Amino acid sequence: MSDDGNARSSALGQTRLSRWELAGFPGRVEIANYLTQEHTAQYRLIVDVLFDAQEVALTGVGRDELLTALRDRIEAAVGGLQARELTMPPVLDLDARMHQLEQWGVVHSWQDRARTEADFVRSRDRYQLTSDAADLHVWLRQRGDDHSAIASAAAFAPAVIADRLDDMLAAAVAKDYAAAAQAWSQVRTTLKNMADAARIWQSRMASALAGTPDEDKIAQLWDTVMSYITVWGAGIDTYTARIRNTVQRLDDMGAQLWREVAVVGLDPEAREETISTMAHVHHAGLDTLRAWFATTDNQAARLRRQVRDAVTPLLRGTRALLSTGGHITRQAELFRVAAAIDSATDDQEAWQVWCQATGQWSARHLPGEPADPPVGAARTSFWEAPPVPIDAVARQRSRSTSGGPPAQVPNRRNARDQARRLLEKQRREQSAAELELLARSGTPLSTWTPLGAGEAELFWGVLTAVASARTANDADVRCVTTADGRWLVIAHPPARPTDSARVRTPGGDIVCGDWTLELIPA
């Protein structure tokens, strides 16, 4: 193509881009140019040094100070000799780099006042990152760092939110709006950390579940699930009902509460428009809490279901890696062991076959007293215990087991098809039982017709959760979640404590208080 053709193509691209921008869509971000240029490594190092300097210098960084800081950073990474070579012209033309960063809007540049004669001959330029460039670099830092710090910031988030909301409610009732504003600020900070951690967990799970499983994806998914369980999972069932009730009571106080909270954090002479805007922002935070904890299909429960659903692909992917690429565990050997156990005449013979295949024999009690264990060994957690070393002979033999011709894997297709059909049948029956039980929601137990087998099994779980809940007064409404996490139950006590109900099931009749149960899928 000729130069005229290239020019026309370039002009056409600029025209299309300008039309998109004129339509109101975001266009080119100039401050991000330093991430895609020829000297990107130099630009990013300069911006990183200026970003760290913001914590200790509010008046910018001088040109000589910047060069020294760059040399120190490079020397710590590759050594003093290479640091001097990399910071000398023409390898690093600092003035040209800083001029280009200023053109892109990444840094502000100005000159110090000359106070001595030496100041007239030295470079007096000073640099400071712009606010947009600093925000972009914060994202770059978080993208490269470990997400465990963000996840740890959300530790005990439901418990913290529940406690601070109770403090805010008590302060609001007492008209102590300063204390209410302090408690609310902690709620908003914790909620932001919780949302950041949830966003990271969701994106990492989506990335790990996409495509064919490999070792890195399985490790990433495992770390994500364990991070959720360790940091946050235990608090959802415990504090969701408490947070929901407090949010409802705060919402009943009306818009005046948020106006008073907004006034506390503003200047006494703030305009009415500013006060109304801040009050709206605070009330929007309450809407976010309601979306996370107070609705029927809240975000906390949805995230819990996403993590729960990721466990099955995690186990399936781990099993696939072991069966196709493992050196010790072989799929054919496992099938042979399973077939031998299945063909055993009784449990004792099946246990004998398992012990012979795995070497896990039953414990035997020997006379004498055992030696005392090392200090703290009995209390050492499995997760904190040091790894067991494996000698070279075991490693070499484990590799050799993968050699030779492939093992003949038994054909289990018919058994799998039969198991799949049985599972689908069980799912259909369970779904039908859930719909039938859900149709009884909101009615007293005394009005219930006899239950089927599936309904009776579900009803036992609901009744167990209601009975295990403890309230200060027996006449209080109980709000609990079933043990499997699938139902949110709101149990209204009978009008009179002596009222009872008789629920008929295939296994017998159940006599209990005449509760009115509201069943909500979690």
Side-chain angles (χ1 to χ4, degrees), residues 397-454:
R397 290 180 179 176
S398 65
R399 292 195 199 95
S400 63
T401 58
S402 62
Q408 297 296 326
V409 179
N411 187 3
R412 305 291 183 181
R413 179 177 300 176
N414 295 333
R416 289 197 299 269
D417 293 341
Q418 183 179 1
R420 188 179 297 109
R421 289 192 296 268
L422 179 60
L423 178 60
E424 292 176 356
K425 179 182 177 182
Q426 293 175 351
R427 287 178 176 174
R428 289 194 300 268
E429 293 176 353
Q430 183 179 7
S431 179
E434 290 178 353
L435 293 177
E436 292 174 358
L437 189 64
L438 190 61
R440 305 172 186 265
S441 177
T443 59
L445 295 180
S446 58
T447 63
W448 285 20
T449 57
L451 303 179

Side-chain angles (χ1 to χ4, degrees), residues 80-295:
L81 180 60
Q82 295 190 36
R84 287 189 294 271
E85 294 177 353
L86 293 176
T87 53
M88 293 293 293
V91 179
L92 176 62
D93 190 349
L94 184 59
D95 295 331
R97 303 291 177 267
M98 300 309 298
H99 177 71
Q100 186 61 66
L101 289 174
E102 184 179 8
Q103 294 296 320
W104 288 330
V106 179
V107 299
H108 295 300
S109 175
W110 70 95
Q111 287 194 343
D112 278 337
R113 182 185 305 174
R115 293 183 176 85
T116 62
E117 294 181 359
D119 292 339
F120 288 98
V121 297
R122 71 175 181 88
S123 176
R124 292 177 286 112
D125 292 332
R126 298 188 71 84
Y127 306 102
Q128 179 79 26
L129 284 182
T130 61
S131 59
D132 292 339
D135 294 339
L136 176 61
H137 201 69
V138 168
W139 175 81
L140 290 174
R141 283 280 189 89
Q142 293 179 351
R143 178 176 177 269
D145 292 343
D146 185 12
H147 296 308
S148 59
I150 299 178
S152 63
F156 312 108
V160 174
I161 291 176
D163 292 340
R164 298 290 79 79
L165 283 177
D166 290 343
D167 295 342
M168 180 183 180
L169 180 61
V173 172
K175 305 298 183 181
D176 188 0
Y177 296 111
Q182 294 177 8
W184 177 245
S185 65
Q186 297 179 32
V187 170
R188 294 188 61 186
T189 302
T190 307
L191 185 62
K192 180 181 181 303
N193 294 333
M194 185 182 65
D196 292 340
R199 184 182 66 252
I200 292 172
W201 289 330
Q202 288 177 328
S203 62
R204 294 184 66 181
M205 282 193 299
S207 175
L209 294 175
T212 305
D214 53 31
E215 185 177 357
D216 295 336
K217 288 183 178 180
I218 294 300
Q220 181 179 0
L221 186 58
W222 171 263
D223 294 340
T224 303
V225 173
M226 293 305 299
S227 176
Y228 171 86
I229 295 174
T230 304
V231 173
W232 190 22
I236 296 300
D237 295 335
T238 306
Y239 296 98
T240 295
R242 178 178 165 189
I243 294 175
R244 179 176 58 250
N245 295 335
T246 309
V247 167
Q248 183 62 41
R249 294 184 62 183
L250 289 173
D251 200 17
D252 294 340
M253 293 185 176
Q256 183 63 27
L257 169 63
W258 305 109
R259 176 181 174 82
E260 297 294 342
V261 171
V263 169
V264 173
L266 296 175
D267 187 80
E269 299 180 357
R271 296 182 302 174
E272 179 64 28
E273 180 182 357
T274 304
I275 297 175
S276 301
T277 301
M278 289 304 302
H280 178 73
V281 170
H282 290 313
H283 192 272
L286 188 68
D287 294 336
T288 304
L289 276 175
R290 187 181 295 105
W292 270 99
F293 297 101
T295 59

